[in-house]
Amino acid sequence: MTLFELTRAGLVGVVLATGFGGVLAGEAAADSCWNHNGSLMRLQAQGNQRWLSYERPRDVLRGSGVQRGTLLFNGVKSGNWYSGTARVFSKYCPGSPLEYFVEGPVRGDQLQVTVTGTREVHNRCRPSGKFTTDTLVFTYSHQC
């Protein structure tokens, strides 16, 4: 589901827009672009709420149903700590991402976020009984 669809469904109360023009003293813009695993992501913030969606997904993700606006992470920032829900996408179950809990620190300069979580491995959309730990790293790129 895209951020726009979440908003229309009432799951996100406000479409986020800021007039912020850059990075100030170690803080990334509330509407900014971040690099993650070969994709360009858009970070949007409202208060302590955070959303990271695909702005320009890497090509291999398109077969899994990922497109511009697809939500990868939603959660909260508390101090220098993110916690929330991340998603894994599969070409075998497009439109049905696997959701799991992640959490982790914001680097001191506020320009990198690293979250980690454990999730069940699925084989063609079926639980396998095996688990893996994922680490997602987001590095500030520029104001979107």
Side-chain angles (χ1 to χ4, degrees):
M1 190 175 267
T2 68
L3 187 58
F4 177 73
E5 291 167 329
L6 288 168
T7 302
R8 287 189 57 207
L11 298 173
V12 177
V14 177
V15 176
L16 305 169
T18 67
F20 188 65
V23 176
L24 292 175
E27 282 203 22
D31 188 12
S32 53
C33 283
W34 297 67
N35 293 312
H36 167 66
N37 200 24
S39 295
L40 187 65
M41 309 298 297
R42 180 179 291 261
L43 171 66
Q44 295 179 295
Q46 178 182 11
N48 68 342
Q49 299 293 311
R50 297 291 183 271
W51 298 269
L52 280 154
S53 57
Y54 287 92
E55 183 69 14
R56 195 172 54 238
R58 60 189 174 117
D59 289 340
V60 71
L61 293 173
R62 297 200 183 276
S64 303
V66 174
Q67 59 187 339
R68 184 175 186 219
T70 299
L71 188 64
L72 176 62
F73 170 86
N74 66 287
V76 296
K77 180 179 184 233
S78 178
N80 280 334
W81 195 260
Y82 272 41
S83 59
T85 302
R87 291 152 185 84
V88 170
F89 303 91
S90 168
K91 69 180 181 180
Y92 298 107
C93 35
S96 299
L98 172 65
E99 297 183 341
Y100 63 105
F101 178 77
V102 294
E103 63 179 342
V106 179
R107 198 169 67 191
D109 63 6
Q110 304 290 301
L111 300 178
Q112 189 172 75
V113 177
T114 304
V115 293
T116 302
T118 300
R119 64 173 175 85
E120 188 166 13
V121 175
H122 283 206
N123 184 4
R124 296 184 182 229
C125 298
R126 294 191 180 124
S128 69
K130 299 176 183 177
F131 290 83
T132 188
T133 299
D134 286 345
T135 298
L136 291 74
V137 179
F138 303 94
T139 305
Y140 178 78
S141 175
H142 62 278
Q143 179 188 356
C144 291

